[in-house]
Amino acid sequence: MNDLFSILNLADYRFIHGLIESPFNLTDDTRISTLVAAFEKEESPENRSALNTQLESSLRYLGSSDLAYTFRSITGSDPGVSFQEMIRDVASTINVDPPALGTAREMVEQLATDYATKQFADLSTEQQQQMLEDLGVDREKAASFLARSAGVFALPMLIEAFNFVIVQGLIKTIVFGTIAKIVGSQIAGRLFSFLVARMPWWVSWIGPAAWTLSIGWTTIDLQGPAKRKTVPIVLYLGLCSLRERHDLEAS
């Protein structure tokens, strides 16, 4: 998972830690908090490596049931599920096809884009029009695109019709709306402030007004505390991968 964690910055770590935090976890939240603080003080390879190791352990715990995790720990087996298995479980939970085999980055990016595209397709034409206009698309251009698409959407088609910045904004709006619905607006607002403070260029224009509206369009309904963590974390990691890809293409 080094390819995925290597693109995370301090705000990302804080955001993910905020999603993981729980008094009921067997995973060591305090340890993550300590490691994040150490990384904030000095962004050294050693501090990043220690933080990534603990983060991976925590994610693999969250992808397991407490009973199975405890049993595997007692028997000396590797206690957590693989990250690939967790991604497939998240895909099943949010009703999208599991990503094809690839790197962790490729899988979470595909999952996030497939989920956002599906959610957008499930909106009414009026809601789709509103979202595109909110993202800065001209009204006539948005209406013309929606008429041509006839309800069939794919990422390449969206990028061709608009540009990657607009499409990334659409994906971010839907994903942040989903995260806010899962964790609650109050927690989402607090976590979102980490991102605004550190990366205003990435998220300031996808603020609470946008993703709060998206909450009402999000139909996902999760059962169980673990999925209320794994789903937003995996989707957020997909956003991080998209952000990095866009930065590389723009440079």
Side-chain angles (χ1 to χ4, degrees):
M1 295 177 62
N2 287 337
D3 66 317
L4 178 57
F5 291 158
S6 66
I7 65 176
L8 302 181
N9 59 39
L10 178 62
D12 296 324
Y13 285 121
R14 287 201 174 279
F15 191 90
I16 294 169
H17 176 231
L19 294 173
I20 290 175
E21 278 185 307
S22 170
F24 306 107
N25 285 347
L26 293 178
T27 187
D28 192 349
D29 296 341
T30 303
R31 174 66 174 161
I32 295 180
S33 181
T34 300
L35 292 171
V36 169
F39 185 71
E40 181 174 17
K41 185 176 181 180
E42 181 184 359
E43 295 189 9
S44 66
E46 294 77 14
N47 285 343
R48 178 184 286 275
S49 177
L51 178 53
N52 289 348
T53 298
Q54 183 60 48
L55 181 59
E56 180 175 359
S57 175
S58 296
L59 293 181
R60 294 182 65 190
Y61 156 71
L62 290 171
S64 309
S65 70
D66 282 347
L67 182 61
Y69 186 90
T70 302
F71 176 77
R72 287 194 292 262
S73 296
I74 293 173
T75 58
S77 303
D78 191 353
V81 301
S82 70
F83 190 64
Q84 287 75 14
E85 183 178 344
M86 188 172 78
I87 292 174
R88 289 192 293 270
D89 182 61
V90 168
S92 175
T93 299
I94 61 178
N95 298 314
V96 298
D97 292 333
L101 292 178
T103 66
R105 274 192 63 181
E106 291 168 342
M107 293 179 74
V108 295
E109 185 175 322
Q110 181 182 341
L111 188 68
T113 55
D114 287 353
Y115 170 73
T117 303
K118 180 179 182 297
Q119 288 288 303
F120 183 74
D122 288 343
L123 300 178
S124 68
T125 302
E126 291 75 18
Q127 291 170 329
Q128 292 168 344
Q129 176 82 24
Q130 180 181 347
M131 181 174 284
L132 290 173
E133 288 184 30
D134 288 345
L135 290 169
V137 178
D138 178 77
R139 174 174 295 183
E140 287 73 22
K141 184 176 182 179
S144 175
F145 167 77
L146 293 174
R148 292 195 313 272
S149 66
V152 179
F153 303 100
L155 187 63
M157 181 177 70
L158 287 165
I159 294 175
E160 182 179 355
F162 307 112
N163 58 57
F164 191 74
V165 173
I166 295 296
V167 175
Q168 192 181 49
L170 183 151
I171 295 170
K172 282 188 287 188
T173 299
I174 291 174
V175 168
F176 279 125
T178 298
I179 292 174
K181 180 169 184 177
I182 293 172
V183 305
S185 296
Q186 184 174 1
I187 294 176
R190 176 172 59 83
L191 297 178
F192 194 80
S193 67
F194 297 153
L195 305 182
V196 172
R198 300 284 298 203
M199 296 181 290
W201 53 270
W202 187 52
V203 293
S204 60
W205 59 290
I206 308 292
W211 52 253
T212 299
L213 179 62
S214 182
I215 291 174
W217 297 341
T218 303
T219 58
I220 190 170
D221 184 21
L222 302 181
Q223 300 296 323
K227 291 187 187 300
R228 300 181 72 84
K229 297 177 183 295
T230 57
V231 170
I233 289 170
V234 168
L235 289 175
Y236 181 75
L237 288 171
L239 289 185
C240 294
S241 182
L242 282 167
R243 181 187 68 211
E244 179 72 6
R245 180 158 68 89
H246 176 251
D247 289 347
L248 289 174
E249 291 176 353
S251 62

